[in-house]
Amino acid sequence: MELFYLVIVVFLLILAVFDLFVGVSNDAVNFLNSAIGAKVARFRTVLVIASVGVVAGAAMSAGMMDVARHGIMHPAAYTFHEVMTVFLAVMVTDVIVLDMFNTLGLPTSTTVSLVFELLGGTFILAILKINADPSLSIEMLLNSDKALSVIIAIFVSVAIAFAVGTLVMWLSRVVFTFSYQKHLRYTVGIFGGLACTMLAYFIFIKGLGKSPMITAETRQWVDANTSMLLAATFVASTAVMQLLHWLGGNVFRFTVLLGTFALAMAFAGNDLVNFIGVPMAGLDSYRDFTANGGGDANGFHMLSLMSSAKTPLPYLMLAGVIMIVAMATSKKAQNVVKTSVDLARQDEGEEMFGSSRAARSIVRASQELGAAVLRIVPRPVMQWIDSRFQKEDAVLSDGAAFDVVRAAVNLVVASLLIIVGTNFKLPLSTTYVTFMVAMGSSLADRAWSRESAVFRVTGVLSVIGGWFITAGVAFVACATVCLIMHFGGFVAMFALMALAIFLLVRSQLAFARKARQERQDDVFRLMMRTRDAEIVWDLLLKHVSRTQSFVGRFALQQYEAILNGLADEDWRGLARSKKALDNEQEELKRYRRKELLAFRRIPEKTAVERNTWYHLGVNSDMQFIYCLKRMLDPIKEHVDNNFNPIPKTYMDEFRQVRSQVTDLMQRTETMLSAMRFDEYDAVLTEADALKDQLSILRKQHIDRLQQDHDPGNMKISLVYLNILQETQEFLSIMRHQLRAMNRFCGNN
């Protein structure tokens, strides 16, 4: 019996490692997005600073989060077996839920997921226990008030963080403007002093305030002299920041790096227990059971979990090391950071989210409110305010999504709000606070133009909706898993353990495939972050060339697949072709929008000379899709209805034409890919000749159709006629695409 529970404990500890990886992948956005978005330093430098903060926070961690031991359940009312069932259900569910959100690139709250998983697992067992023993009540088994206070505080903080982030960013931009280097003088020292004081207070309160490494006397002295320490810190840091500015240093850059360290330290010192709290509680329970349980897992109650526990330092340090490795290697962490940075970026670019009715309503209401404000505020005042928000004067590092002023505001405001929440003993989510501050600051910074506002608002609503969904999904999923384990016993436990491993492996493989597909957008992201117009033109040329060559290759693949589907009567293959064409049509719309955004950044003379040929090439790409759909629809209908197969005589006479089409498309794709048009004239000449040959075949087939009086051949004859017509159109589109790309590249 004890062996089974030992296996469960070992599995809990293994899942803790996975949970650290997926948890850090989610929470890394908290302390990395500002430094990465503003490009204040190389990624390696930012990672080193964050890693130092993580190690410091782990070493000075406040210890075990008691919510895992007795914050949700009243463990004295539960047996060892029941407690282990809840803990295993929580860990299996937590890893899967967090991994799902990270794969989607949406930041969520590890605190909310953990609390609701514990609540779901404990609630379902409480219902079963009450059903078996009516003398029990829900209050005796479940500490629901604790969970409710956590959730209310977290979701209220969403609105507060957004509002405060918007206000502070607006004031900061009015003071410094986008051309902030011209408006520093003495204000930058005061800003730096305030920022450093807040961040120092953040480090003291969140990092050192409850650390077991600090003696009680030292803690009491700090508490008694906090005001004096903060005043001294403000005076000293203001002087140092002003001196740093006079010496040519960048105060904002220093503030961002210090804020990154502070948030990383607080994360490791406090949120770390979200990932290892349940496994460590399970380990403590197992130790208590083996020492005092007498082998009766269903009769030994977990009184020991009523007391608080401290996590040994080696466990904390090991967890810190795992977190650092996850930050450095996890592609999902970078994906979550990318979501937050892209929604807050200053420039235009590819929008990750579409439009929604709620977002359109919010944007429309905001525009009406803005118009009302304009009617009230004197015109000279509005003109002066507008002069402080000249976005074209923005000082951005190469590749940055926003400037260092906004990055500093993001970190300082987020830190300050978490300090306030800590002082009032409100359990805030660092994920929610930092994300919503970043969204509020981007709104105040006028990063959301009329062209992008509806997409950005949709993105924010999607993320917030995901947070609410987290609670429901975590509760229901853990309750279900716990119920299965309770009735299924060890067999169900081990089966679900195997399922968790399988889902994690599958998720990793799926995410790797998705990451490979997204790497093709690297050129576009570089175009949108590069300031040199000539470099942007070179990158745009490569991007268009790659898109055009891919479409040519894709069109040929689908052309062959459609013809093979007819010949083999493969209705599944034809269905796959229909889906592929629909997906590619949407992708082409997205690519066109991205490339048009890049067109605004190239030299004006080049844009005027080449834009006609660009649009002709893009239209040719879409015409390929339309042509293939016109060819596919009657073929798919014919095969779906199990009509007569295509006669061998038709396929034989078309075989040579099909081979020539394939050869011409392959040669064209090679030229487009290499942007070398050595065979340009030869391909156009051969395409014209092949079109003439298709005209002859079509006339012959029409004559044959008139002379064939067998009604059984009518449907397939019309399908074949459609193939000849669309193949001829297919070649015309190929010629237009090749000609357009040749001229777009500057050839005559």
Side-chain angles (χ1 to χ4, degrees):
M1 180 69 71
E2 288 187 4
L3 179 61
F4 289 142
Y5 290 112
L6 178 60
V7 172
I8 291 175
V9 170
V10 171
F11 185 73
L12 286 176
L13 296 174
I14 293 173
L15 279 187
V17 176
F18 281 103
D19 211 17
L20 281 167
F21 264 94
V22 296
V24 171
S25 298
N26 173 78
D27 283 7
V29 67
N30 297 341
F31 47 86
L32 293 180
N33 60 355
S34 292
I36 292 175
K39 293 288 184 181
V40 298
R42 293 192 305 172
F43 179 75
R44 183 182 302 175
T45 303
V46 174
L47 193 62
V48 169
I49 292 173
S51 299
V52 174
V54 166
V55 171
M60 294 181 288
S61 173
M64 182 65 64
M65 183 174 66
D66 287 337
V67 70
R69 299 169 64 87
H70 53 254
I72 301 299
M73 67 170 64
H74 294 303
Y78 293 87
T79 65
F80 172 69
H81 177 77
E82 291 169 339
V83 165
M84 293 302 292
T85 300
V86 172
F87 287 162
L88 181 59
V90 167
M91 290 304 295
V92 168
T93 307
D94 197 54
V95 170
I96 295 173
V97 169
L98 286 180
D99 188 75
M100 176 184 66
F101 274 89
N102 294 339
T103 301
L104 295 174
L106 299 176
T108 188
S109 170
T110 54
T111 303
V112 170
S113 63
L114 180 74
V115 168
F116 270 94
E117 284 153 5
L118 282 167
L119 187 60
T122 306
F123 175 79
I124 199 66
L125 280 189
I127 295 299
L128 294 174
K129 289 175 73 67
I130 291 172
N131 185 60
D133 184 2
S135 64
L136 295 173
S137 66
I138 196 71
E139 292 79 11
M140 297 170 61
L141 301 171
L142 190 63
N143 188 5
S144 56
D145 291 342
K146 173 80 172 181
L148 185 61
S149 64
V150 170
I151 300 308
I152 291 176
I154 285 174
F155 289 119
V156 167
S157 69
V158 169
I160 295 175
F162 185 82
V164 175
T166 302
L167 177 61
V168 175
M169 185 67 244
W170 188 85
L171 293 173
S172 299
R173 191 60 73 190
V174 168
V175 172
F176 294 110
T177 75
F178 281 98
S179 183
Y180 65 89
Q181 294 173 335
K182 301 177 182 178
H183 301 85
L184 298 181
R185 297 184 182 179
Y186 299 101
T187 55
V188 70
I190 297 174
F191 177 88
L194 285 172
C196 289
T197 302
M198 292 177 186
L199 292 173
Y201 187 37
F202 181 78
I203 293 172
F204 290 143
I205 297 299
K206 293 290 286 181
L208 300 176
K210 297 181 180 180
S211 173
M213 299 182 67
I214 303 299
T215 64
E217 293 78 10
T218 303
R219 193 177 302 115
Q220 291 174 0
W221 185 88
V222 170
D223 290 340
N225 297 277
T226 298
S227 298
M228 181 193 69
L229 289 173
L230 290 177
T233 301
F234 173 70
V235 173
S237 58
T238 299
V240 171
M241 292 299 102
Q242 190 64 49
L243 180 61
L244 176 64
H245 171 64
W246 286 338
L247 294 176
N250 192 317
V251 173
F252 294 109
R253 191 181 300 270
F254 175 82
T255 303
V256 171
L257 294 177
L258 179 61
T260 300
F261 170 83
L263 277 176
M265 180 177 173
F267 160 75
N270 296 272
D271 290 2
L272 172 64
V273 292
N274 290 349
F275 311 129
I276 67 174
V278 170
M280 295 308 299
L283 179 60
D284 288 345
S285 300
Y286 176 77
R287 287 172 175 170
D288 184 34
F289 170 70
T290 55
N292 307 304
D296 185 9
N298 291 306
F300 181 68
H301 286 72
M302 299 308 302
L303 295 172
S304 62
L305 292 182
M306 292 299 296
S307 62
S308 297
K310 299 294 182 181
T311 307
L313 183 61
Y315 286 109
L316 293 172
M317 295 304 297
L318 178 61
V321 171
I322 294 173
M323 292 162 66
I324 292 172
V325 173
M327 280 194 302
T329 61
S330 174
K331 297 298 183 184
K332 293 185 179 181
Q334 298 172 21
N335 194 35
V336 177
V337 172
K338 177 179 177 292
T339 298
S340 181
V341 170
D342 279 356
L343 284 174
R345 67 181 184 274
Q346 189 68 48
D347 55 12
E348 294 182 282
E350 178 193 3
E351 300 298 339
M352 299 177 61
F353 298 88
S355 174
S356 66
R357 179 178 297 179
R360 291 192 292 270
S361 299
I362 292 173
V363 172
R364 190 175 298 111
S366 300
Q367 290 173 350
E368 293 172 355
L369 177 62
V373 171
L374 287 176
R375 289 193 294 269
I376 298 172
V377 178
R379 186 176 183 84
V381 175
M382 289 304 304
Q383 289 177 340
W384 180 80
I385 292 175
D386 288 339
S387 69
R388 314 297 286 181
F389 285 85
Q390 298 298 318
K391 293 194 293 184
E392 59 272 13
D393 297 334
V395 181
L396 297 177
S397 301
D398 191 21
F402 41 81
D403 65 7
V404 291
V405 177
R406 175 133 62 97
V409 168
N410 286 346
L411 289 167
V412 172
V413 172
S415 301
L416 180 61
L417 290 175
I418 296 171
I419 291 170
V420 173
T422 301
N423 286 342
F424 285 97
K425 298 182 179 180
L426 297 175
L428 302 181
S429 166
T430 53
T431 301
Y432 292 7
V433 170
T434 52
F435 180 84
M436 292 310 297
V437 167
M439 295 303 100
S441 66
S442 63
L443 174 63
D445 230 9
R446 301 187 181 182
W448 300 4
S449 67
R450 293 191 62 161
E451 293 294 321
S452 63
V454 68
F455 304 115
R456 305 282 180 95
V457 173
T458 299
V460 173
L461 293 178
S462 299
V463 173
I464 295 175
W467 296 343
F468 283 95
I469 291 172
T470 300
V473 169
F475 182 91
V476 174
C478 191
T480 304
V481 171
C482 191
L483 193 64
I484 294 172
M485 289 182 177
H486 177 76
F487 288 107
F490 289 114
V491 174
M493 288 181 178
F494 292 128
L496 286 168
M497 289 158 62
L499 177 63
I501 295 174
F502 167 75
L503 292 176
L504 280 174
V505 172
R506 190 182 70 170
S507 173
Q508 292 295 328
L509 295 176
F511 186 83
R513 288 195 297 269
K514 182 180 178 182
R516 285 195 296 270
Q517 294 173 356
E518 290 181 347
R519 276 198 291 270
Q520 63 186 351
D521 283 348
D522 289 344
V523 174
F524 169 72
R525 284 191 285 270
L526 186 57
M527 281 190 292
M528 298 309 295
R529 301 285 159 79
T530 301
R531 296 290 170 179
D532 190 315
E534 293 294 341
I535 295 178
V536 174
W537 164 241
D538 290 338
L539 293 171
L540 177 62
L541 195 60
K542 293 177 182 178
H543 195 278
V544 173
S545 170
R546 187 175 62 182
T547 302
Q548 296 281 317
S549 63
F550 173 81
V551 171
R553 187 164 60 251
F554 171 82
L556 178 59
Q557 290 172 349
Q558 295 307 313
Y559 178 79
E560 294 286 342
I562 291 169
L563 293 178
N564 289 335
L566 174 62
D568 301 334
E569 298 184 86
D570 181 10
W571 61 271
R572 290 189 180 89
L574 294 172
R576 286 194 296 270
S577 291
K578 178 175 175 54
K579 183 178 180 181
L581 289 171
D582 289 339
N583 291 339
E584 184 61 23
Q585 185 173 350
E586 293 302 315
E587 286 293 300
L588 286 176
K589 292 178 182 177
R590 189 167 63 90
Y591 283 169
R592 184 170 196 166
R593 183 180 184 279
K594 291 194 301 183
E595 290 167 352
L596 285 175
L597 289 172
F599 243 102
R600 301 178 184 179
R601 295 172 172 266
I602 68 174
E604 183 176 356
K605 181 180 178 181
T606 304
V608 172
E609 292 175 349
R610 309 294 174 85
N611 69 72
T612 298
W613 302 109
Y614 165 75
H615 289 292
L616 180 59
V618 171
N619 289 338
S620 298
D621 294 342
M622 197 62 76
Q623 288 301 320
F624 270 130
I625 304 299
Y626 296 149
C627 175
L628 290 169
K629 283 187 172 185
R630 291 194 301 268
M631 182 185 295
L632 171 64
D633 287 344
I635 291 176
K636 187 174 183 300
E637 181 183 6
H638 189 88
V639 174
D640 284 345
N641 289 318
N642 298 304
F643 292 150
N644 289 335
I646 187 169
K648 186 176 182 299
T649 53
Y650 292 2
M651 298 302 294
D652 289 341
E653 75 177 23
F654 188 68
R655 185 171 291 110
Q656 183 179 358
V657 172
R658 178 176 174 179
S659 176
Q660 289 179 272
V661 170
T662 300
D663 177 66
L664 287 174
M665 286 293 293
Q666 288 174 341
R667 289 160 65 186
T668 299
E669 191 274 328
T670 300
M671 284 189 282
L672 296 176
S673 178
M675 290 189 291
R676 298 185 60 179
F677 299 89
D678 300 336
E679 294 188 85
Y680 175 75
D681 293 327
V683 168
L684 292 183
T685 301
E686 291 179 36
D688 286 336
L690 188 55
K691 287 177 63 180
D692 293 339
Q693 186 177 343
L694 279 165
S695 296
I696 295 173
L697 280 178
R698 187 176 61 177
K699 184 178 183 306
Q700 291 176 350
H701 182 64
I702 291 174
D703 293 341
R704 181 167 52 200
L705 186 62
Q706 289 294 112
Q707 297 170 7
D708 190 352
H709 300 290
D710 186 353
N713 293 334
M714 178 66 68
K715 289 184 175 62
I716 190 60
S717 295
L718 292 175
V719 168
Y720 181 55
L721 177 62
N722 181 67
I723 290 174
L724 295 174
Q725 292 172 333
E726 295 304 333
T727 298
Q728 197 170 25
E729 179 63 20
F730 194 74
L731 288 171
S732 296
I733 297 168
M734 182 207 74
R735 294 181 77 260
H736 291 313
Q737 184 196 44
L738 181 59
R739 179 168 173 262
M741 192 60 193
N742 181 50
R743 299 296 295 273
F744 182 73
C745 291
N747 302 318
N748 295 323

